[in-house]
Amino acid sequence: MNTTETKSSFQDKLDQDLCIEPKDTMPDEYRKHLIRQISQHAHSEVIGMQPEGNWITRAPSLRAKQILLAKIQDEGGHGLYLYSTAETLGISREEMIEQLHTGKAKYSNIFNYPALTWADIGAIGWLVDGAAIVNQVSLQKTSYGPYARAMVRICKEESFHQRQGYEIMTNMMKGTKEQQEMAQDAMNRWWWPSLMMFGPHDSDSPHSGNAFVWKIKRKSNDELRQRFIDKTVQQAETIGLTIPDSDLKWNETKNCYDHGEINWEEFRRVVNGNGPCNKQRMTHHIKVHNEGAWVREAAAAYAKANAK
Ligand code: 3HC
C-alpha cells in the first residue's frame, strides 16, 4: 500500500471514530507518538509504586496494609498492560526500560515527591489517582484500540484507589488535631504537583496538536485539569480540608473555579530530573531491575523449552 493509500484508510477509520488496531496501516508519526505516550504512562505506573511501597511496613492497621498492598499490585499490573500495549506498536520491553534508565523517556512528575507521612498515602490515592482517573477516563476514547481497552480496565481499579485515599483523608480529618494537621500538610504538598500531572497549558503543549488530529487526545490538558479541580474542591470542602490556593474562587459566569497560576518552573525542574526524589526513584528501579534479571531469564528459558 503506498503512503497516500496508507494515510487515507487510516484517516477513514479516524473519521468514522473506529479504533486503529495493531495490524492496521498507520503513519509512522502516529506510531511514534503513541509509543512515546504509552511507554511513559507505563513507566509512571511502575515508578509510582515506590512512594507507596515505602509505607507498606508502616501502615497503621492490617486493613490499611491490605488495601495498600492491593493498590500497589494494581499499579504494577497497570504498568504491564501498558508495556504490552506499547509492544503492539513495535517497541520491545527492553528498549522501553533502556529509555527509562537513560532518561530518554519520562515518567509523571508527581512520583518525584516523597511520601512523608501516612496522610501522604491518602493524598496520593485521592489526588494523584483522582487526577489519573480524570485523564484516563478521557483516554478510554483514544483512537488506538489496545490503549482504549487498557484504559477501560485500568479505570475500574483506579476508582477503588481514589476512594481508599479519600477514606484515609476523611478519617484523619475526623481524628485528633494532630491528624487533621497531618492531612492538611499532605494536601498542601500534593495539590499543585497533582495539577501539573495534566501537562503544560494547551498553548505550551507541543504534542496536543497532533494528539487531537489523530484523536489520541479527546480533551485538552487544561480541560481535564479544570474538570479535576472542580470535582476535587468540593470533596476537600466536605471533609474540612483547605485547598492551598488563595486565588481559588468560583466563577459564576464560567461555571468553574478560577485558580492561581501553576509554578511551571517547578514542573520543568522536576521533569528535568531535579525533583526531590528523581535520583532515588531511578537508582531503585535500576537496582531492582538488575536484581530481577534471573527471573526474566528463567521465564524466557521456560517459554523456549516448552515452545511447541
Ligand atoms: N510529568 C512528566 N512529563 C510530562 C507531564 C507530567 N505530568 N506532562 C507532560 N509531560 C511532558 C510530555 O511527556 C512531553 O514531553 P516528551 O515530548 O518528552 O514526551 C512534554 O511534557 C509536553 O507535554 P504535552 O502535553 O505536549 O505532551 P502529551 O500530549 O503527551 O500530554 C499527558 C501529556 C497529558 C501526560 C499525556 O501524555 C497523557 O495523557 N499520558 C497518559 C497518562 C499518563 O501518562 N499519566 C501519568 C500518570 S499515571 C498515574 O498517575 C498512575 C496512577 O495509577 C497513580
Side-chain angles (χ1 to χ4, degrees):
M1 195 180 275
N2 64 37
T3 319
T4 324
E5 282 170 329
T6 307
K7 289 209 169 154
S8 66
S9 59
F10 169 78
Q11 194 55 49
D12 289 348
K13 288 196 84 169
L14 283 188
D15 294 344
Q16 297 168 60
D17 263 341
L18 296 173
C19 278
I20 306 296
E21 297 298 338
K23 290 197 169 45
D24 289 343
T25 48
M26 62 184 87
D28 273 350
E29 311 93 316
Y30 176 81
R31 183 187 301 277
K32 284 190 195 115
H33 185 113
L34 283 170
I35 287 176
R36 173 191 63 83
Q37 175 165 331
I38 299 170
S39 61
Q40 293 183 155
H41 195 163
H43 297 329
S44 303
E45 297 278 4
V46 171
I47 297 286
M49 295 165 78
Q50 289 189 36
E52 293 175 313
N54 293 335
W55 277 89
I56 292 174
T57 55
R58 295 180 282 172
S61 70
L62 182 57
R63 176 179 179 271
K65 187 194 284 265
Q66 284 172 314
I67 292 173
L68 184 57
L69 274 169
K71 177 180 189 305
I72 295 167
Q73 282 170 335
D74 282 350
E75 307 298 10
H78 297 174
L80 296 183
Y81 298 153
L82 289 163
Y83 281 130
S84 303
T85 302
E87 284 167 349
T88 65
L89 289 155
I91 188 170
S92 71
R93 186 75 56 94
E94 293 72 19
E95 217 177 328
M96 287 187 269
I97 298 301
E98 189 266 339
Q99 289 174 354
L100 173 67
H101 288 174
T102 56
K104 273 188 236 145
K106 294 183 167 72
Y107 56 90
S108 187
N109 66 300
I110 195 74
F111 298 122
N112 288 308
Y113 293 86
L116 299 176
T117 70
W118 178 250
D120 286 51
I121 298 303
I124 290 172
W126 172 42
L127 297 175
V128 175
D129 287 71
I133 290 174
V134 171
N135 168 282
Q136 291 169 165
V137 162
S138 175
L139 280 171
Q140 289 179 120
K141 297 193 175 60
T142 194
S143 60
Y144 188 56
Y147 197 22
R149 292 187 290 271
M151 286 299 103
V152 171
R153 186 157 173 186
I154 286 176
C155 285
K156 287 192 176 85
E157 294 171 343
E158 292 291 10
S159 52
F160 143 66
H161 299 171
Q162 193 263 0
R163 278 204 308 275
Q164 63 83 37
Y166 191 55
E167 182 190 77
I168 290 172
M169 299 301 264
T170 303
N171 292 340
M172 294 193 87
M173 290 307 285
K174 288 178 186 161
T176 63
K177 189 167 173 307
E178 194 187 7
Q179 285 170 325
Q180 291 170 12
E181 286 166 358
M182 191 184 274
Q184 185 61 57
D185 168 58
M187 174 95 221
N188 296 344
R189 285 184 286 106
W190 288 93
W191 174 252
W192 290 103
S194 299
L195 300 192
M196 297 173 197
M197 285 176 67
F198 292 94
H201 284 309
D202 301 342
S203 52
D204 299 327
S205 163
H207 296 299
S208 285
N210 281 339
F212 275 105
V213 166
W214 292 324
K215 297 187 179 178
I216 292 170
K217 270 184 187 172
R218 295 307 195 133
K219 295 280 179 206
S220 77
N221 296 2
D222 286 327
E223 275 178 287
L224 294 176
R225 190 180 356 259
Q226 189 64 57
R227 184 174 296 182
F228 170 71
I229 292 169
D230 294 344
K231 181 178 83 155
T232 311
V233 169
Q234 292 164 19
Q235 291 170 353
E237 287 172 352
T238 303
I239 59 175
L241 279 167
T242 305
I243 302 281
D245 176 1
S246 53
D247 294 325
L248 190 82
K249 190 166 171 298
W250 182 252
N251 183 318
E252 256 335 305
T253 321
K254 292 196 301 184
N255 198 33
C256 67
Y257 281 96
D258 289 335
H259 60 87
E261 189 46 38
I262 292 168
N263 181 346
W264 295 112
E265 193 283 324
E266 176 184 336
F267 172 77
R268 280 187 292 276
R269 182 164 46 78
V270 172
V271 169
N272 291 332
N274 303 306
C277 298
N278 296 59
K279 287 174 187 54
Q280 176 187 337
R281 299 287 184 250
M282 201 45 60
T283 306
H284 182 76
H285 191 281
I286 292 170
K287 173 176 176 292
V288 173
H289 183 74
N290 293 337
E291 286 170 357
W294 69 273
V295 177
R296 294 189 295 276
E297 285 154 17
Y302 179 83
K304 193 164 171 229
N306 290 278
K308 294 278 176 272

